[in-house]
């Protein structure tokens, strides 16, 4: 009984040591100077507690502390927990390190934002792939602690060709999505926070996983599509090279409208609007319509698509008001020849 008491006391002491390290990392003098301290505490506290207890048990447990089949079960359980805790801690530590990089990339603005989003997307997907591989290897290591599984594995090796074909057919869809995700990310065709138009829906890439892509639509709905969709179907990417967008506003108005004055008013309104990026603008007569109206197109640029949409709405409203108040005779009208 004394051996078990020593074992339990040692496990509690190991957990207490991890708690002291956690408190030290949260200490103001360390936490503010070492950027990795916060993510490590947030991600690794519980895995570290578990590993400390299991590692202590694995070190201090000796044959003879239990009897018969119970001893074998305890040893195997400790081994399984050891593998699981090491895997858990390794994955969480890797996530903590990459969290520091991802947090810094989120704050990048301006021209470097596109490159930052590409790196964020690649890091996010690579760490998910790496985590899946590590978990798969850990699961295999756990299974091979059982003698029956080891014997089964030896038998499977003799028929590896048949098993490979069966597994390949069964996992074809999953592997296709995985390869499609890697192709999208490393070809820079799609990134987190990209503005895209898919199936007539406008939105931003909110999540890019190994098997699916979540598109956050303009009205806060979510469109979930398999990754392979983006490698087999066309889609619009409005932020492929830059987030800057040129918006167009169409007007159909009477021939009597003074186009030059309307052009001057558009430029004056754009200069005073905070969403205009001070670069591109124009007002052109693009067509003469059979119903006796002119078609005017106003172009204006903005830093990104949401800004461009708001800017277009504001300029459309402003020009409608301007024509209505200054040139009411130029409002659209239908002419009928009574002769």
């Amino acid at each position: 009984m004394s051996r078990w008491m020593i074992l339990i006391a040692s496990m509690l002491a190991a957990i207490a040591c991890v708690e002291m390290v956690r408190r030290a990392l949260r200490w103001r003098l360390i936490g503010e100077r070492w950027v990795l301290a916060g993510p490590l505490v947030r991600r690794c506290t519980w895995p570290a507690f578990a590993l400390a207890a299991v590692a202590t048990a694995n070190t201090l447990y000796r044959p003879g502390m239990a009897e018969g089949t119970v001893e074998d079960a305890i040893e195997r359980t400790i081994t399984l927990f050891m593998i699981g805790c090491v895997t858990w801690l390794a994955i969480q530590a890797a996530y903590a390190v990459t969290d520091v990089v991802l947090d810094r990339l989120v704050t990048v603005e301006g021209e470097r934002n596109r490159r930052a989003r590409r790196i964020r997307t690649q890091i996010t997907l690579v760490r998910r792939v790496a985590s899946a591989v590590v978990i798969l290897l850990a699961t295999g290591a756990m299974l091979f602690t059982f003698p029956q599984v080891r014997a089964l594995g030896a038998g499977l090796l003799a028929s590896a060709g048949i098993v490979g074909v069966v597994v390949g057919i069964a996992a074809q869809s999953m592997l296709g999505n995985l390869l499609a995700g890697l192709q999208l990310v490393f070809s820079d065709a799609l990134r987190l926070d990209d503005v895209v138009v898919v199936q007539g829906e406008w939105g931003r890439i909110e999540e890019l996983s190994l098997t699916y892509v979540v598109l956050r639509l303009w009205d806060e709905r979510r469109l979930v599509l398999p990754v392979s969709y983006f490698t087999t179907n066309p889609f619009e990417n409005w932020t492929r090279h830059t987030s800057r967008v040129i918006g167009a506003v169409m007007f159909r108005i009477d021939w009597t409208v003074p186009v030059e004055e309307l052009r001057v008013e558009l430029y004056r309104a754009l200069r005073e609007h905070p969403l205009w990026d001070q670069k591109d603008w124009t007002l052109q007569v693009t067509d003469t319509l059979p119903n006796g109206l002119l078609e005017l197109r106003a172009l204006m640029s903005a830093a990104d698509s949401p800004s461009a949409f708001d800017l277009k709405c504001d300029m459309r409203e402003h020009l409608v008001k301007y024509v209505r108040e200054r040139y009411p005779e130029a409002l659209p009208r239908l002419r009928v020849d009574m002769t």
Side-chain angles (χ1 to χ4, degrees):
M1 188 65 180
S2 59
R3 290 185 178 182
W4 286 103
M5 295 298 295
I6 294 173
L7 178 60
I8 294 174
S10 299
M11 293 171 63
L12 294 176
I15 294 174
C17 290
V18 173
E19 175 64 17
M20 292 174 61
V21 173
R22 186 186 71 87
R23 290 178 180 271
L25 291 176
R26 293 185 60 186
W27 189 33
R28 182 176 180 181
L29 295 179
I30 297 179
E32 292 182 354
R33 295 182 181 181
W34 193 30
V35 294
L36 194 56
L40 283 175
V41 170
R42 185 174 64 254
R43 291 272 190 184
C44 300
T45 296
W46 288 106
F49 283 154
L51 182 60
V54 174
T56 302
N58 187 58
T59 302
L60 297 181
Y61 182 80
R62 293 290 181 269
M65 294 179 64
E67 297 181 358
T69 57
V70 176
E71 183 172 348
D72 293 337
I74 292 175
E75 289 182 351
R76 182 167 292 115
T77 301
I78 292 175
T79 302
L80 293 176
F81 272 102
M82 188 72 179
I83 296 172
C85 291
V86 169
T87 303
W88 187 16
L89 182 60
I91 292 174
Q92 292 301 315
Y95 269 58
V97 173
T98 52
D99 280 347
V100 175
V101 181
L102 293 176
D103 290 342
R104 290 183 176 179
L105 292 174
V106 169
T107 60
V108 175
E109 300 292 343
E111 293 298 326
R112 296 186 301 167
N113 178 259
R114 186 181 67 86
R115 183 170 179 269
R117 288 188 291 110
R118 175 172 61 85
I119 297 173
R120 279 174 51 206
T121 305
Q122 292 176 349
I123 290 176
T124 301
L125 189 61
V126 167
R127 75 178 186 177
R128 286 178 176 174
V129 173
S131 298
V133 171
V134 170
I135 291 173
L136 183 62
L137 293 176
T139 304
M142 288 181 177
L143 291 176
F144 271 83
T145 60
F146 295 90
Q148 299 87 345
V149 175
R150 286 200 298 268
L152 179 61
L156 289 177
L157 287 176
S159 56
I162 299 176
V163 174
V165 171
V166 174
V167 172
I169 294 174
Q172 183 177 3
S173 177
M174 182 184 68
L175 292 176
N177 275 322
L178 176 59
L179 294 176
L182 294 174
Q183 177 184 343
L184 281 177
V185 170
F186 287 98
S187 65
D188 203 22
L190 204 62
R191 298 172 298 266
L192 291 173
D193 211 35
D194 263 350
V195 177
V196 297
V197 178
V198 180
Q199 298 179 355
E201 299 281 5
W202 180 96
R204 288 182 178 272
I205 300 298
E206 183 177 58
E207 185 179 352
L208 178 56
S209 72
L210 299 178
T211 55
Y212 61 87
V213 176
V214 178
L215 182 66
R216 178 167 56 87
L217 304 181
W218 65 274
D219 56 359
E220 295 301 321
R221 291 179 295 135
R222 267 54 174 185
L223 180 63
V224 182
L225 296 167
V227 174
S228 58
Y229 175 89
F230 292 89
T231 58
T232 56
N233 295 278
F235 64 95
E236 296 181 30
N237 189 337
W238 289 11
T239 52
R240 176 69 172 81
H241 295 291
T242 177
S243 60
R244 186 167 170 267
V245 176
I246 295 179
V249 177
M250 308 300 295
F251 295 93
R252 292 169 178 83
I253 202 162
D254 193 79
W255 280 53
T256 58
V257 67
V259 177
E260 186 60 36
E261 293 185 22
L262 203 62
R263 185 178 290 118
V264 172
E265 178 61 23
L266 173 64
Y267 182 54
R268 186 197 65 79
L270 284 173
R271 284 187 301 173
E272 297 177 357
H273 202 289
L275 294 181
W276 186 46
D277 64 359
Q278 307 293 319
K279 293 183 179 178
D280 295 326
W281 78 279
T282 188
L283 178 67
Q284 298 172 311
V285 179
T286 56
D287 199 2
T288 56
L289 303 178
N291 58 3
L293 299 178
L294 292 179
E295 183 181 75
L296 276 62
R297 183 181 67 179
L299 298 181
M300 58 212 72
S301 58
D304 50 49
S305 51
S307 300
F309 180 81
D310 291 339
L311 180 62
K312 288 192 302 180
C313 292
D314 291 345
M315 289 301 103
R316 184 184 294 109
E317 180 179 342
H318 177 79
L319 290 179
V320 167
K321 179 181 178 182
Y322 180 79
V323 172
R324 188 178 67 245
E325 293 180 352
R326 297 291 185 91
Y327 306 101
E329 69 280 2
L331 293 174
R333 65 189 68 187
L334 181 64
R335 291 180 172 84
V336 179
D337 188 358
M338 303 297 294
T339 61

